[in-house]
Amino acid sequence: SRIMGLDVLRRGLDESAVTVQHLRHFILNNSQVQVRCGGHCVSYPDLGREYLVSLIQRAAATGDPDIEEVVFSVPPGSPLMFREWLGSVAAGSGITKYSVMDEISAAAAGYGFSLEDDMVLMVIDIGDEKTTVTLASLGPRETLNGSRIIARTISDLSGTAIDCWIAHEVRQRDTRKPGSWGSGGLSPELLAACRKARTDLTCGDTAKIFFTEGRTGENIARPFSGQDLENTIHMNKGLFELDRVISQTLILGESRGHSSGSIQHVLMTGKDSLIPSLQAVIVSKFGRERVHCNLPATAVALGAALHPAGTENSRTLERDYALRYWDAGTSR
């Protein structure tokens, strides 16, 4: 059997070689990589479909079995392939109706704004794989999915990058004899401990980096504070990179007729938006009154949950279709 979601964390298997992570990232990028799972190879789309179907079926089993509609949120500019894949998830779940809501609209709704109001928004998403800064206009006159992208810039600044910075800092501080870490790169055990510390420091000021060194079997524990995290991000020019990617988006927006002053609200999403120094960069550029950063991890999901059922972008699954061979001679 396959273990999913929080059960993986509870059993301490999040860094296991057979644990598959970042499913959506690979599906969106149409990765052709096959993952070995349960003795055979499976594609990321198939694994992701199985995971979401399982979640929907569990929700139906523990709540109201008569789910009227499922709402999927999709990132800005997601390919048509991804939306078609979501349709296959709905079909596999036994759901006959589903909606697709773009994450700009979902974040706005989650932060309490009416989607009927015309407004210009900047959404800054600081996630595990990348930072995406999107300038968009929102309102009933825009596209079917609720928002129109004006400018968007992507950066390698991410939670994963910060984990690597923390790991290098831990190694530099080590007082053991030279060579204790071996000649290899950063171990999965160390990176997992750094990721946990980073997560802990988004809601507290102290954390401990504890892990077992895979090469020697030695248990290593190192304290790491919120100030240590801030210093590490600063030394690795993370604040400069965040400022750069925002400024680049503003320049693109200006060239398309939208000045910085036209941005009414700046919405922060992604759990690493909780890091104080990253928030401070954004507040310094836009002012506290325009920046909304109290719901970075839940705004998109909350906005999708508030999406009314039966809207014009709802899709109904009526039949299954498949490609068939066409014989030109018989016209069949």
Side-chain angles (χ1 to χ4, degrees), residues 48 64 66 80 141 218-219 245 258:
D64 184 356
D66 298 322
L80 178 61
R141 294 178 297 178
E218 181 181 358
N219 290 328
V245 73
H258 293 271

Side-chain angles (χ1 to χ4, degrees), residues 244-264:
R244 184 199 67 79
V245 73
I246 294 172
S247 297
Q248 185 173 339
T249 309
L250 290 174
I251 292 171
L252 288 172
E254 185 87 34
S255 70
R256 294 162 188 172
H258 293 271
S259 66
S260 174
S262 70
I263 300 173
Q264 293 157 274

Side-chain angles (χ1 to χ4, degrees), residues 116-320:
E116 297 301 314
D117 296 334
D118 289 311
M119 66 182 82
V120 176
L121 303 171
M122 176 172 280
V123 177
I124 302 174
D125 179 23
I126 307 175
D128 279 337
E129 293 96 14
K130 60 186 177 182
T131 290
T132 304
V133 180
T134 306
L135 184 63
S137 60
L138 187 70
R141 294 178 297 178
E142 299 298 355
T143 65
L144 180 64
N145 289 325
S147 68
R148 178 175 63 87
I149 307 303
I150 300 166
R152 182 176 57 165
T153 309
I154 298 174
S155 166
D156 289 333
L157 174 65
S158 65
T160 300
I162 295 173
D163 296 340
C164 292
W165 298 342
I166 296 172
H168 283 295
E169 180 66 18
V170 170
R171 293 186 62 161
Q172 288 177 359
R173 290 184 185 184
D174 191 47
T175 57
R176 296 178 300 163
K177 63 181 181 180
S180 296
W181 293 92
S183 57
L186 301 175
S187 69
E189 295 83 6
L190 173 58
L191 288 173
C194 293
R195 180 169 64 249
K196 184 178 185 305
R198 168 174 57 89
T199 302
D200 291 344
L201 289 172
T202 60
C203 55
D205 192 50
T206 58
K208 181 169 286 189
I209 298 174
F210 178 82
F211 66 102
T212 301
E213 216 286 317
R215 189 177 64 89
T216 64
E218 181 181 358
N219 290 328
I220 299 175
R222 298 288 185 269
F224 206 78
S225 68
Q227 189 58 55
D228 291 331
L229 176 62
E230 303 293 346
N231 292 341
T232 299
I233 293 173
H234 178 75
M235 286 188 298
N236 287 276
K237 300 184 178 180
L239 305 183
F240 172 82
E241 175 59 15
L242 180 58
D243 182 83
R244 184 199 67 79
V245 73
I246 294 172
S247 297
Q248 185 173 339
T249 309
L250 290 174
I251 292 171
L252 288 172
E254 185 87 34
S255 70
R256 294 162 188 172
H258 293 271
S259 66
S260 174
S262 70
I263 300 173
Q264 293 157 274
H265 303 286
V266 178
L267 313 181
M268 296 183 67
T269 61
K271 62 183 179 181
D272 290 305
S273 294
L274 291 169
I275 296 175
S277 61
L278 299 182
Q279 287 189 6
V281 170
I282 297 165
V283 170
S284 69
K285 293 184 78 71
F286 298 101
R288 174 61 66 183
E289 66 281 355
R290 283 197 286 176
V291 176
H292 305 268
C293 53
N294 59 309
L295 297 172
T298 59
V300 173
L302 178 60
L306 294 171
H307 185 62
T311 55
E312 61 181 357
N313 64 339
S314 297
R315 297 132 190 249
T316 302
L317 298 172
E318 296 179 347
R319 297 178 178 86
D320 290 329

Side-chain angles (χ1 to χ4, degrees), residues 51-70 93 95:
Y51 177 60
L52 285 183
V53 166
S54 174
L55 289 183
I56 294 171
Q57 290 177 341
R58 287 185 191 182
T62 57
D64 184 356
D66 298 322
I67 297 177
E68 182 178 354
E69 186 172 337
V70 171
S93 307
I95 301 299

